[in-house]
Amino acid sequence: MSNKNLKLVIYCSILALVLVLAGVAYKHVSDNYTPEVQNIDSDKNTNPAPDFFVFTQDGERVSFTSFKGKPVVINFWATWCGYCVDELPYFQNAYEKYGDKVQFMMVNLTDNSTETVEKASAFISDKKYEFPVYYDVAYRAAFAYDVSAVPVTAFVDADGNLVYHRIGGMTEKMLFEYIESLIGE
């Protein structure tokens, strides 16, 4: 092996090691970080959540405002996002526990290239997730909530006010704390 090729292999190995260590460190920090979740005071919160529309698997258009009157948890995700995939079981558990008190909108960022409705639907079916999944085929929801990376989760109170906007993955404990604060438990 030539000296030039050996250097390239060494540089690539070091880069790969740095990326792996950064991923492990991020996972460790995010798993051990617990945010302070404040109680909701809807009288003081007047930050209306942006409206948007998404589609069901069958192509039916669904507007965010159709859920007004009930708290809403909006999670932006994609199958290619490792952190998104890691937290989906937490959302399934939250849906099972709080689904009668909170509307869940699991919004898949569908670019019809890397992520398609068929691919995301098959993934959800294979994992046997039961929460409602919507497809943001035109990125209208992502633009409305300034989503530039996933996962992102927005928590909206029953009056339609954006209460929390979480960027990055969550532990199940964190998700439950946000929801319990949202519904006043």
Side-chain angles (χ1 to χ4, degrees), residues 16-185:
L17 180 62
V18 167
L19 291 173
V20 167
L21 291 175
V24 170
Y26 176 82
K27 181 75 172 152
H28 175 73
V29 169
S30 65
D31 284 350
N32 294 309
Y33 172 72
T34 304
E36 291 182 27
V37 178
Q38 301 171 350
N39 288 331
I40 299 169
D41 186 351
S42 59
D43 291 337
K44 294 180 183 175
N45 189 337
T46 57
N47 186 16
D51 191 17
F52 61 88
F53 65 86
V54 287
F55 295 91
T56 65
Q57 180 179 350
D58 299 327
E60 178 186 338
R61 182 178 157 155
V62 176
S63 173
F64 167 72
T65 56
S66 66
F67 299 115
K68 193 169 183 179
K70 190 173 190 179
V72 182
V73 175
I74 308 165
N75 177 258
F76 295 91
W77 68 281
T79 59
W80 50 260
C81 166
Y83 296 112
C84 300
V85 170
D86 288 347
E87 71 180 9
L88 287 177
Y90 310 149
F91 279 95
Q92 177 61 38
N93 293 341
Y95 176 72
E96 291 170 7
K97 184 173 182 175
Y98 302 106
D100 59 332
K101 299 176 184 175
V102 176
Q103 175 64 43
F104 286 81
M105 292 188 77
M106 304 301 290
V107 179
N108 179 263
L109 301 183
T110 314
D111 64 3
N112 290 317
S113 176
T114 307
E115 190 81 346
T116 64
V117 171
E118 295 77 21
K119 180 179 178 182
S121 296
F123 175 84
I124 292 297
S125 178
D126 289 346
K127 298 292 185 179
K128 300 188 182 350
Y129 293 134
E130 298 173 353
F131 45 65
V133 176
Y134 302 93
Y135 301 90
D136 191 10
V137 297
Y139 282 16
R140 292 179 192 272
F143 290 138
Y145 284 80
D146 295 324
V147 175
S148 59
V150 285
V152 168
T153 307
F155 299 85
V156 180
D157 68 17
D159 295 323
N161 295 309
L162 180 61
V163 180
Y164 307 113
H165 187 262
R166 166 81 184 174
I167 299 170
M170 289 185 279
T171 65
E172 185 171 56
K173 179 182 177 194
M174 292 165 62
L175 176 60
F176 282 27
E177 286 176 350
Y178 277 119
I179 293 172
E180 289 168 3
S181 179
L182 185 67
I183 62 177
E185 286 189 3

